[in-house]
């Protein structure tokens, strides 16, 4: 499933994050990856990947963070949430529900 940016006009930070996540998407073609800007200082990322069923939390994070850490520090600083879930976990996750229907940010 293709990477989804939930905006019509991504800013430079979102574009840089999306470029790195494209590498993850290539290696994990069954992953569903979504990115959006919650507010001017907060970017949220959700990766729903069936392959996580065989992996613990640390192992899930390791591969993705190897890519994200190639980004400039000021871009990484804007990332406020990363959800890494199996499809089954996503159905039950409160954070995933918040990702689908975010509470408006006061910032």
């Amino acid at each position: 499933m293709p990477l989804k940016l939930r905006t019509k006009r991504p800013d430079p930070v979102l574009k840089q994050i999306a470029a790195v996540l494209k590498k993850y998407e290539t290696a994990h073609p069954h992953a569903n990856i979504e990115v959006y800007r919650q507010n001017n200082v907060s970017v949220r990322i959700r990766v729903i990947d069936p392959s996580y069923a065989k992996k613990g939390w640390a192992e899930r994070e390791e591969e993705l963070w190897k890519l994200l850490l190639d980004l400039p520090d000021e871009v990484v600083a804007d990332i406020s949430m990363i959800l890494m879930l199996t499809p089954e976990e996503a159905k039950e996750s409160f954070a995933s529900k918040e990702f689908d229907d975010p509470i408006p940010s006061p910032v």
Side-chain angles (χ1 to χ4, degrees):
M1 182 168 269
L3 172 72
K4 180 179 176 186
L5 287 174
R6 291 178 18 186
T7 181
K8 291 183 181 177
R9 291 202 243 158
D11 61 51
V13 168
L14 283 175
K15 288 178 182 178
Q16 288 180 68
I17 293 170
V20 166
L21 292 173
K22 281 281 189 189
K23 295 175 187 176
Y24 186 90
E25 178 187 40
T26 299
H28 299 266
H30 298 291
N32 178 358
I33 305 168
E34 294 181 78
V35 181
Y36 76 95
R37 180 170 287 288
Q38 170 69 4
N39 58 44
N40 61 340
V41 296
S42 177
V43 172
R44 293 179 170 184
I45 300 168
R46 178 173 61 185
V47 180
I48 299 174
D49 190 343
S51 73
Y52 290 157
K54 302 171 187 168
K55 299 177 183 176
W57 295 109
E59 192 178 359
R60 294 178 189 191
E61 290 181 8
E62 187 176 330
E63 186 176 5
L64 189 64
W65 273 107
K66 281 181 185 176
L67 298 171
L68 293 173
L69 289 176
D70 286 340
L71 293 166
D73 290 344
E74 61 273 11
V75 172
V76 173
D78 272 13
I79 299 172
S80 64
M81 176 191 284
I82 301 176
L83 298 176
M84 303 177 74
L85 306 166
T86 67
E88 294 75 25
E89 291 167 343
K91 292 175 190 171
E92 301 298 321
S93 168
F94 176 75
S96 190
K97 288 177 177 50
E98 163 65 14
F99 195 96
D100 287 330
D101 190 21
I103 297 170
S105 174
V107 176

